[in-house]
Amino acid sequence: MIQAERLKSLFLDLVQIDSLSRREGQIAERLARELKDLGASVVFDGAHEAVGGEVGNLIARVPGTVDAPPFLLCAHMDTVEPGIGVCPVVEDDVIRSDGTTVLGGDDKSGIAIVCESVRAAQESGLPRPPVDVVFTICEELGLLGARHLDIAQVAARRGLVFDSDAPGCVFTRGPGSQRIEAVVRGRAAHAGMAPERGVSAIRVAADAITTMRLGRIDADTTANLGVIHGGRAINIVPDEVRIRGEARSHDLARLAAQSAHMRACFQEAASRHPGATVDVNIVPMYGPMHVADDAAVLRLLRIAAERVGRPLHSGRMGGGCDANILNQRGFEIVNLGTGMRDIHTTKEWLRVSDMVSAAEVTLSALTLAAESS
């Protein structure tokens, strides 16, 4: 009952709509029309006011045919850079980026799967529960849309997020994250006439970074410095450098230890360069996700996958997703893989057949949720 060509067509339509974080207005309008066509009531919350965006989270209610608890389907609307002017390339079952931008399968594959599953459920004539659809903003900026979601407008308390790569995998565990913001200050001087009077903030920052544990720290923990800005001209000893990074871990104690280590590296480097100072701010972004193996939503999903002959295994992921926040806010949510590959790169691609598989499992889950009413 899932129509592959319709799913593919919607996905291709969506990826060609620019929707960088805080600029989701155009795709939100497109999706509101799509959901209203399915008979949904659609509202937008005020999350954009908290994050400085164009539009809030889209919240839709699709009526069911039975008196059952509503079921949540969630994906995010924003994409990362370079994401302006996406030109998808279709090669049989594969859709890929043309190499100049990301594809946007993260997370428009999830959006397309949600819309096709709801449409197919209506066409099937089978019993279905009320469905709450939530398409969030600013997920890529640290799950900000989910953090500011007006949950009073969402009736469902269990369901699925669609925001991971591995097809046939449902993710029940994810790391927590802390953002690291460091400002290294030195002393400016003319680089040719009086370099001795200066203290290079870039040199201090480099000293700190070379002593820092980064990348894969252990089985639970990773760390990265991703953005650095500093200096004003090549003939001025730089007096300020700003660095942003992150630490992630499935274990809160290890997360705290890694963040503390990164702070200490900056502080110790500054102490080795007289005249240098450093300010380090550690900002909690979200906590780890851990959904129990016997959770009701996971039991339902396993049976649903078995009914349609699709393999399904559970696992843990290295990235955060809206499920991290939603589970902390009282929901029971797992993350179903859509098949997106090489995400956040200009080599991003996916298989339509993987999206079809995820949609079939989702449709089966909706039918099963109605039966268990």
Side-chain angles (χ1 to χ4, degrees):
M1 291 178 284
I2 296 296
Q3 294 190 23
E5 284 301 316
R6 184 171 62 191
L7 174 57
K8 175 182 175 181
S9 177
L10 177 58
F11 175 74
L12 289 172
D13 184 14
L14 295 177
V15 298
Q16 293 177 81
I17 301 174
D18 297 341
S19 58
L20 297 181
S21 301
R22 296 195 177 98
R23 292 155 63 183
E24 302 96 339
Q26 188 178 359
I27 194 169
E29 290 181 7
R30 170 68 176 81
L31 292 171
R33 294 196 303 270
E34 183 81 15
L35 290 165
K36 288 177 181 178
D37 186 54
L38 294 172
S41 59
V42 178
V43 297
F44 292 94
D45 68 10
H48 61 300
E49 298 173 359
V51 303
E54 293 179 342
V55 68
N57 298 302
L58 185 159
I59 304 170
R61 166 58 68 89
V62 183
T65 60
V66 296
D67 183 15
F71 199 79
L72 177 64
L73 302 177
C74 177
H76 67 86
M77 295 185 286
D78 61 319
T79 59
V80 299
E81 297 190 68
I84 299 296
V86 173
C87 295
V89 176
V90 180
E91 300 171 348
D92 297 323
D93 188 41
V94 172
I95 303 175
R96 65 176 71 254
S97 161
D98 69 354
T100 63
T101 67
V102 298
L103 176 62
D106 178 13
D107 188 25
K108 292 172 183 176
S109 59
I111 293 174
I113 288 167
V114 169
C115 293
E116 174 61 23
S117 299
V118 171
R119 189 175 293 277
Q122 292 182 335
E123 293 172 346
S124 72
L126 296 172
R128 62 183 187 276
V131 176
D132 283 350
V133 175
V134 173
F135 292 144
T136 61
I137 61 171
C138 295
E139 190 272 352
E140 299 290 2
L141 299 183
L143 319 184
L144 295 183
R147 187 185 307 276
H148 296 287
L149 175 67
D150 183 358
I151 61 175
Q153 298 194 60
V154 183
R157 286 298 180 268
R158 66 170 179 167
L160 305 174
V161 159
F162 301 82
D163 190 17
S164 57
D165 51 1
C169 186
V170 54
F171 292 95
T172 61
R173 299 186 182 189
S177 176
Q178 294 182 344
R179 187 172 69 240
I180 314 297
E181 301 171 339
V183 182
V184 181
R185 295 184 175 88
R187 185 167 55 243
H190 193 288
M193 299 177 63
E196 302 85 357
R197 298 178 185 175
V199 177
S200 171
I202 289 178
R203 188 173 181 181
V204 177
D207 188 1
I209 294 169
T210 56
T211 63
M212 197 174 295
R213 296 190 300 271
L214 296 171
R216 175 72 62 187
I217 309 303
D218 55 45
D220 288 330
T221 312
T222 61
N224 184 58
L225 296 177
V227 179
I228 181 166
H229 294 289
R232 288 178 285 168
I234 63 173
N235 61 351
I236 302 175
V237 176
D239 61 351
E240 184 176 283
V241 171
R242 293 179 176 268
I243 303 167
R244 289 187 287 131
E246 66 168 21
R248 301 186 188 207
S249 185
H250 292 263
D251 181 276
L252 283 175
R254 294 181 180 183
L255 177 60
Q258 176 61 29
S259 296
H261 160 73
M262 296 169 78
R263 184 202 298 272
C265 287
F266 283 114
Q267 293 173 334
E268 291 166 6
S271 72
R272 291 191 289 269
H273 297 264
T277 62
V278 62
D279 294 320
V280 181
N281 190 25
I282 298 174
V283 182
M285 298 302 293
Y286 48 86
M289 176 180 75
H290 185 182
V291 179
D293 289 340
D294 62 349
V297 68
L298 189 54
R299 294 198 308 269
L300 180 143
L301 197 62
R302 286 171 174 153
I303 297 171
E306 183 178 356
R307 281 191 175 186
V308 293
R310 293 294 188 178
L312 186 73
H313 64 279
S314 60
R316 70 180 196 169
M317 61 189 300
C321 68
D322 286 337
N324 285 67
I325 297 294
L326 294 176
N327 279 294
Q328 291 173 10
R329 298 188 70 187
F331 293 76
E332 185 181 85
I333 305 292
V334 292
N335 184 356
L336 183 62
T338 71
M340 58 178 99
R341 314 290 180 89
D342 293 327
I343 62 172
H344 293 197
T345 78
T346 56
K347 297 180 180 179
E348 186 184 353
W349 63 281
L350 53 69
R351 289 191 176 93
V352 176
S353 55
D354 288 335
M355 289 196 294
V356 170
S357 175
E360 288 177 349
V361 173
T362 304
L363 176 57
S364 178
L366 293 178
T367 303
L368 188 62
E371 292 176 4
S372 60
S373 62

